[in-house]
């Protein structure tokens, strides 16, 4: 495919333009711990193995971030430098992205003490916190870019597509001949062009998947209230999905069980458990799951409207949604799961794992 078809940002793999990726502060390889700091989860990976994920509502407790990072680091082997990417700067506790980037990197410097901190930028470089804070647009919401760059480097020939569906969003990133071929880098640009879809497998509010559903043969408008999430619908639509009674990060704070998920789901149409039966509830839940898949599928076709990719790689906690959308959009294209390539443990913290690999290449030049 000709490059101009994308009219977008193309990031050469690190090995193809070594001058661009050369560090201005050469240092020997050390023990590296990588963090992907989000608004709802913190993920970490260590270069000698091991990956960890910790739910944390950054928007509620921004000043607790340093303690959360310290506790998570205790699970990892010793380290003498950090690699950082983030999306948590988007939290509404920060007036601007610049403020969020400054806060997060200030906290990571506290954790690091005198150890080096290397921040991934979307120009394909690792920089120090001062440089990152001076250019917040390049490191803001850059975790998808790190993951996609890592994957693109593994596929030096042909057109491919990464579909990463997490708890909150889906990233859709084309790559060609080892390079990213995405249109735009900022969240705003990617929302416009299909590269970013605010549909995930956990936190997406069902009211965002409206405006209506079919209920007993009639179109029923949804209540514009945060009564339930896509996680409730997924649980109720598939009997094979396990309940998570220990999890209370739900719309009403009650456990992630079918009993409570049913109550939450029915509220979105003003109903309750005395007004329906399990079969009807399951059909209602499936409508929301189908709508989520349709949203992702539509974005995939917007990103690649003309030519199917040679391969699709799916990742994230919402792999099932990503797979369904991928096979709907391009039923003839081979689809593989990132977890099959890097292992299920590393795939839980895929962006942090990608940082480890990119860091090794970057500092080896």
């Amino acid at each position: 495919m000709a490059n101009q078809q994308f009219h977008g940002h193309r990031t050469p793999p690190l090995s193809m333009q070594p001058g661009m990726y050369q560090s201005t502060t050469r240092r020997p390889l050390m023990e590296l711990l990588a963090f992907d700091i989000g608004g709802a989860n913190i993920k970490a990976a260590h270069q000698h193995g091991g990956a960890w994920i910790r739910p944390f509502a950054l928007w509620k407790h921004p000043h607790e971030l340093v303690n959360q990072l310290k506790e998570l680091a205790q699970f990892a082997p010793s380290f003498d430098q950090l690699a950082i990417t983030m999306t948590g700067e988007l939290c509404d506790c920060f007036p601007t992205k610049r403020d969020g980037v400054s806060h997060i990197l200030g906290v990571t410097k506290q954790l690091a003490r005198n150890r080096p901190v290397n921040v991934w930028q979307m120009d394909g470089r690792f920089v120090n916190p001062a440089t990152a804070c001076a250019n917040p647009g390049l490191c803001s919401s850059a975790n998808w870019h790190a993951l996609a760059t890592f994957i693109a480097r593994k596929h030096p020939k042909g057109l491919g597509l990464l579909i990463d569906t997490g708890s909150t969003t889906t990233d859709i990133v084309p790559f060609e001949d080892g390079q990213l071929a995405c249109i735009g880098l900022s969240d705003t640009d990617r929302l416009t062009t299909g590269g970013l879809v605010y549909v995930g497998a956990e936190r997406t509010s069902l009211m965002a998947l409206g405006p209506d559903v079919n209920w007993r043969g009639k179109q029923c408008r949804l209540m514009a209230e945060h009564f339930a999430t896509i996680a409730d619908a997924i649980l109720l639509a598939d009997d094979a999905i396990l309940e998570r009674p220990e999890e209370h990060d739900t719309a009403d704070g009650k456990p992630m069980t079918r009993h409570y998920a049913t109550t939450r789901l029915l509220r979105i149409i003003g109903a309750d458990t005395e007004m329906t039966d399990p079969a009807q509830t399951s059909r209602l839940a499936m409508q929301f799951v189908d709508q989520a898949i349709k949203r992702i599928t539509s974005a995939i076709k917007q990103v690649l409207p003309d030519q199917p990719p040679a391969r699709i790689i799916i990742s994230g906690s919402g792999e099932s949604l990503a797979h369904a959308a991928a096979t709907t959009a391009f039923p003839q294209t081979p689809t593989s799961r990132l977890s099959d390539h890097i292992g299920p443990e590393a795939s839980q913290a895929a962006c942090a794992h990608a940082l480890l690999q990119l860091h090794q290449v970057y500092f080896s030049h």
Side-chain angles (χ1 to χ4, degrees), residues 148-203:
T149 301
F150 162 66
I151 289 174
R153 292 186 69 249
K154 298 292 186 182
H155 300 281
K157 298 294 182 182
L159 176 64
L161 188 67
L162 165 66
I163 307 173
D164 179 57
T165 300
S167 63
T168 309
T169 62
T170 296
D171 295 300
I172 301 168
V173 189
F175 54 90
E176 188 173 19
D177 297 340
Q179 304 178 41
L180 300 194
C182 49
I183 303 175
L185 296 176
S186 72
D187 282 351
T188 304
D189 287 343
R190 296 197 304 128
L191 285 166
T192 302
T193 57
L196 174 60
V197 187
Y198 255 76
V199 172
E202 294 284 342
R203 301 182 65 244

Side-chain angles (χ1 to χ4, degrees), residues 49-288:
W52 304 268
I53 180 170
R54 168 168 286 206
F56 173 59
L58 176 60
W59 74 94
K60 292 181 180 179
H61 311 288
H63 298 295
E64 284 295 313
L65 178 59
V66 65
N67 292 329
Q68 295 290 322
L69 292 180
K70 287 179 179 178
E71 291 177 14
L72 194 54
Q74 290 177 357
F75 291 99
S78 62
F79 63 94
D80 46 28
Q81 64 178 319
L82 295 175
I84 304 296
T85 190
M86 69 187 81
T87 57
E89 78 287 344
L90 297 174
C91 290
D92 57 12
C93 59
F94 304 121
T96 66
K97 295 180 183 179
R98 184 181 299 275
D99 293 312
V101 168
S102 178
H103 177 83
I104 290 170
L105 292 183
V107 167
T108 59
K109 287 170 65 178
Q110 290 182 54
L111 175 67
R113 297 185 179 179
N114 294 321
R115 292 168 286 196
V117 177
N118 304 305
V119 186
W120 178 258
Q121 290 193 154
M122 288 185 287
D123 59 358
R125 296 188 299 146
F126 283 98
V127 298
N128 61 39
T131 301
C133 286
N135 301 278
L138 287 176
C139 62
S140 173
S141 298
N143 64 348
W144 68 271
H145 189 276
L147 177 61
T149 301
F150 162 66
I151 289 174
R153 292 186 69 249
K154 298 292 186 182
H155 300 281
K157 298 294 182 182
L159 176 64
L161 188 67
L162 165 66
I163 307 173
D164 179 57
T165 300
S167 63
T168 309
T169 62
T170 296
D171 295 300
I172 301 168
V173 189
F175 54 90
E176 188 173 19
D177 297 340
Q179 304 178 41
L180 300 194
C182 49
I183 303 175
L185 296 176
S186 72
D187 282 351
T188 304
D189 287 343
R190 296 197 304 128
L191 285 166
T192 302
T193 57
L196 174 60
V197 187
Y198 255 76
V199 172
E202 294 284 342
R203 301 182 65 244
T204 303
S205 184
L206 291 190
M207 65 178 173
L209 296 175
D212 51 38
V213 292
N214 184 290
W215 179 248
R216 295 174 177 171
K218 298 180 179 179
Q219 292 307 110
C220 179
R221 295 180 180 86
L222 303 181
M223 289 187 170
E225 296 281 357
H226 183 56
F227 284 144
T229 67
I230 189 67
D232 295 309
I234 291 172
L235 179 63
L236 295 172
D238 187 350
D239 290 338
I241 301 293
L242 296 177
E243 295 183 320
R244 303 188 296 276
E246 73 287 351
E247 183 177 317
H248 290 257
D249 186 18
T250 59
D252 60 3
K254 293 189 172 121
M256 183 54 72
T257 64
R258 285 183 171 77
H259 170 76
Y260 288 111
T262 297
T263 300
R264 289 189 290 265
L265 182 82
L266 292 174
R267 285 196 187 109
I268 201 73
I269 60 167
D272 61 35
T273 55
E274 295 183 358
M275 301 170 61
T276 185
D277 59 50
Q280 289 180 318
T281 302
S282 179
R283 287 194 293 271
L284 175 63
M286 196 63 235
Q287 290 185 64
F288 288 108

Side-chain angles (χ1 to χ4, degrees), residues 14-42:
L14 276 63
S15 59
M16 295 182 71
Q17 288 195 0
M20 176 180 178
Y21 296 95
Q22 297 235 343
S23 170
T24 57
T25 54
R26 291 298 189 94
R27 59 179 68 94
L29 294 177
M30 299 188 248
E31 306 297 309
L32 180 66
L33 179 62
F35 280 108
D36 174 15
I37 302 172
N41 295 287
I42 304 170

